[in-house]
Amino acid sequence: MSRTRGTRGRRPRLRFDGWIAGVGTSSGTRVVLGHWQRSPFGPFSDVMIEGADGERLLLAPSHRTADFVSDTYGFDRVRVVPVEVRVTDDTWTVAAGPLELHFTVGRRRPLGVLLRAVPGVLAARPAWAALTNGPAHLLPSQVRTRGRTGARRREWYGVRDMRPVGVVSAVFEGLDLGVMAPVEPPVRFGFGSVPRKPTLTRVTTTVELGR
């Protein structure tokens, strides 16, 4: 499921299945975790950080994943560091080089219940991303589920579940980032941001490679 072959006239597509967590902090730093259980690179996790000053940092576990992610999105700095994620019940613990992140997730709201009922086969189709894209549809206004990225790539996010984040604690380079806050302003890694309210989202992401 991690790679789909291109047919004649269509560019190759790569598929990633996992979770994206987006949280804000009272220090102004915003953090986006990607926890990919299935991907063309095998299971891996990466972290995107945007500081209060607007600097964008990628923390990735290997040069291969760092190259792919940084070609797809925009960053000012990239660091290759071990990225470990542990999930115990409703508590997530992330250790990624200079970042220590803990957060809890709450019960699904009606939108999460609705999305969880979406079959995986449907969620993997770009048409589902088109249906949920934009403020006139299902998802929050700053969320975009399709768009163009770096390296002449196109991307679709097939959203399959959403749960609210309850409590966040984060330390970056030895400094406490403060309490949980909205993801405001929106992060600027790609064509869209994560929800303004800290959220854990399950997605099937399809990336169409450029030529």
Side-chain angles (χ1 to χ4, degrees):
M1 181 176 171
S2 61
R3 184 182 182 102
T4 59
R5 294 183 178 180
T7 57
R8 180 175 296 180
R10 192 175 79 176
R11 299 173 182 180
R13 293 179 175 179
L14 306 183
R15 191 167 293 157
F16 300 75
D17 188 74
W19 296 85
I20 295 175
V23 301
T25 65
S26 56
S27 68
T29 297
R30 289 136 289 150
V31 180
V32 178
L33 165 71
H35 181 55
W36 305 107
Q37 295 156 310
R38 286 183 290 179
S39 86
F41 310 107
F44 77 98
S45 300
D46 63 278
V47 180
M48 306 177 189
I49 301 172
E50 184 168 350
D53 60 358
E55 184 180 62
R56 298 164 299 172
L57 169 66
L58 170 66
L59 304 176
S62 69
H63 289 285
R64 189 181 180 201
T65 55
D67 288 345
F68 180 83
V69 176
S70 61
D71 284 346
T72 305
Y73 304 101
F75 302 96
D76 303 297
R77 289 194 296 143
V78 177
R79 292 182 60 180
V80 176
V81 297
V83 180
E84 299 179 0
V85 177
R86 298 197 311 273
V87 182
T88 305
D89 297 326
D90 292 331
T91 300
W92 289 58
T93 302
V94 182
L99 177 72
E100 296 179 10
L101 172 68
H102 304 268
F103 63 91
T104 63
V105 291
R107 297 181 62 180
R108 290 175 184 86
R109 293 168 180 162
L111 177 57
V113 174
L114 176 64
L115 291 169
R116 194 167 183 240
V118 176
V121 173
L122 174 60
R125 295 178 179 174
W128 173 248
L131 177 65
T132 58
N133 185 65
H137 302 293
L138 291 177
L139 302 180
S141 60
Q142 67 193 49
V143 176
R144 296 291 182 269
T145 56
R146 62 175 178 172
R148 294 189 178 275
T149 67
R152 301 180 64 187
R153 295 170 181 170
R154 293 198 299 168
E155 188 171 27
W156 296 267
Y157 290 101
V159 182
R160 302 179 59 183
D161 195 358
M162 295 182 78
R163 296 179 66 181
V165 171
V167 177
V168 173
S169 64
V171 175
F172 180 67
E173 294 183 335
L175 298 177
D176 190 327
L177 297 182
V179 299
M180 185 176 73
V183 182
E184 190 64 40
V187 292
R188 302 172 300 115
F189 306 118
F191 56 81
S193 182
V194 293
R196 181 178 182 274
K197 294 182 178 180
T199 303
L200 176 68
T201 305
R202 184 177 180 190
V203 295
T204 297
T205 301
T206 302
V207 180
E208 183 179 83
L209 301 182
R211 296 189 181 185

